[in-house]
Amino acid sequence: MDQPLLSVIVPAKDQAPFIRDSMTSLTRQFDDPSVMEVIVIDDGSTDGTGELAAAFASRLPGLKILRNEAATGVASARNRGLDIAAGRFITFLDPDDWYAPGHLSRITDEIAELGVDFLRVDHVRHTGGVRTVHKAPQARRGARLDPRNDIAPHNQSTMVDYCFPPFGIFDGGLRDAGLLHFLDGRHTAEDRPWVWRLHLKAASYAVSNQLGAFYRRGVASSLTQVFDRRQLDFLPCFAEVFRLVGEDPEASRFWPKAVRQFLAIACHQLDRSGDMDKQVVAELHAGINDALAGLPDDVRGQGLAGMDNKRRKLLKPVLRRAAA
């Protein structure tokens, strides 16, 4: 069988209200939909998500439905799709998001023309019926760029802050090189080490002016809306970021950005910890301290010194408790 032009990986758990919108948008991407392989990973759904997706088989000839009897989380679900993806190019779609007609066709043409390892795109956020455009933080468009050059500076938004897997397209060679997989078993922050690995190890990328990816925000089932132990996944995910940076020949160049990101997310979780179970809060405090203790002394000191007053206030009781 001929190699698909594009593999689209869709991890889905209990997405019955939205999956038909996502799948319908996929039927409108290419004049010949058979060039596209769509891999839906039904991650332990109990609401018929997989069956709703399977109903599109006649309109998406390359549709594959993989079923996990028990939920494994978004990272492992995406990895299962990556393990069987055969496309020359690969992209990701979250099951509550969608594409404008022809979006994937246009960005597939663009990445092939530019000959880069990956291509990122802007997106439209849909929140309570209101749509706003959110741009990738790189002004140069349609040009071959070095991913490592767009990690710093630490005090500005850069491409490692734009960590959304669905808003881009990736050469299949990155999968073969082990650069597209996610940290297994993680439910949140799984995209942080993923985007850092890409920017540290891929050879080239570009940013497109195409605007056709829609991101649904504020969904009640989103993990950003819950307060359980899954929120602590940022700790092992940043342990992996710190490992990647620490092993890099230019580690000193990238440490400030990595630590600043970690402290921002740590303080965000501390700010919302009033809604968490006491045991989860205790694990959050211990995890933050362990992560900071594992950093080189100068890196840790510079990162803490650079915090603003609000974050310093949030973090101070945690550090004081550790010192007691």
Side-chain angles (χ1 to χ4, degrees):
M1 190 172 88
D2 292 339
Q3 180 185 29
L5 176 63
L6 177 67
S7 295
V8 184
I9 296 172
V10 187
K13 181 182 186 299
D14 293 334
Q15 292 294 317
F18 308 113
I19 191 69
R20 282 172 288 200
D21 291 343
S22 297
M23 300 300 287
T24 298
S25 79
L26 288 174
T27 68
R28 299 169 177 169
Q29 296 307 305
F30 293 91
D31 292 337
D32 177 7
S34 69
V35 305
M36 182 174 57
E37 174 185 58
V38 177
I39 304 170
V40 176
I41 304 91
D42 180 9
D43 194 32
S45 298
T46 58
D47 65 352
T49 291
E51 291 77 8
L52 291 170
F56 284 80
S58 62
R59 301 169 66 186
L60 294 168
L63 179 62
K64 297 179 175 68
I65 308 291
L66 308 182
R67 169 75 181 174
N68 293 332
E69 291 304 320
T72 61
V74 64
S76 297
R78 286 195 188 117
N79 287 345
R80 189 177 179 197
L82 281 166
D83 288 342
I84 71 161
R88 177 185 172 192
F89 300 107
I90 293 172
T91 193
F92 304 93
L93 176 63
D94 285 346
D96 51 359
D97 299 339
W98 71 98
Y99 298 125
H103 174 68
L104 291 181
S105 177
R106 290 188 291 272
I107 64 172
T108 301
D109 286 346
E110 187 168 0
I111 190 174
E113 181 180 344
L114 290 169
V116 293
D117 286 338
F118 63 100
L119 178 77
R120 303 308 305 276
V121 299
D122 304 327
H123 68 277
V124 179
R125 291 189 185 178
H126 180 93
T127 309
V130 177
R131 294 181 178 180
T132 54
V133 174
H134 288 255
K135 289 186 170 291
Q138 167 54 262
R140 291 190 65 194
R141 301 298 169 104
R144 186 183 182 93
L145 302 170
D146 183 343
R148 293 171 66 86
N149 288 341
D150 288 334
I151 295 174
H154 71 281
N155 57 351
Q156 294 179 23
S157 181
T158 71
M159 289 301 295
V160 292
D161 298 303
Y162 196 75
C163 53
F164 312 98
F167 308 138
I169 185 169
F170 309 88
D171 189 277
L174 294 178
R175 170 206 53 217
D176 300 338
L179 299 186
L180 284 185
H181 281 71
F182 296 82
L183 199 60
D184 238 359
R186 300 305 156 196
H187 300 267
T188 59
E190 80 292 340
D191 46 12
R192 297 292 179 162
W194 174 84
V195 77
W196 271 90
R197 188 183 301 110
L198 280 171
H199 276 267
L200 287 171
K201 296 184 179 296
S204 62
Y205 91 110
V207 182
S208 173
N209 271 323
Q210 295 294 338
L211 186 62
F214 289 81
Y215 176 29
R216 198 187 305 268
R217 292 274 296 194
V219 178
S221 60
S222 169
L223 285 176
T224 61
Q225 308 296 314
V226 300
F227 299 88
D228 62 24
R229 186 169 278 102
R230 290 172 291 181
Q231 294 299 321
L232 303 185
D233 278 355
F234 82 94
L235 294 165
C237 287
F238 267 92
E240 176 65 5
V241 171
F242 293 163
R243 184 191 71 79
L244 289 167
V245 171
E247 292 178 356
D248 193 272
E250 296 184 288
S252 61
R253 178 183 175 191
F254 303 125
W255 270 126
K257 184 67 172 183
V259 175
R260 185 181 179 92
Q261 276 190 344
F262 172 78
L263 289 171
I265 294 177
C267 289
H268 170 71
Q269 296 296 353
L270 288 169
D271 194 32
R272 64 203 296 267
S273 63
D275 293 311
M276 297 178 184
D277 179 84
K278 288 183 179 180
Q279 180 58 37
V280 175
V281 174
E283 292 177 28
L284 173 64
H285 288 193
I288 292 171
N289 278 296
D290 288 347
L292 291 173
L295 294 172
D297 291 345
D298 59 331
V299 169
R300 179 178 59 253
Q302 291 170 10
L304 293 172
M307 289 193 306
D308 59 43
N309 288 334
K310 180 181 178 181
R311 288 174 177 168
R312 193 186 308 276
K313 185 176 179 181
L314 284 166
L315 198 60
K316 188 174 181 179
V318 179
L319 298 178
R320 183 188 302 127
R321 190 173 295 113

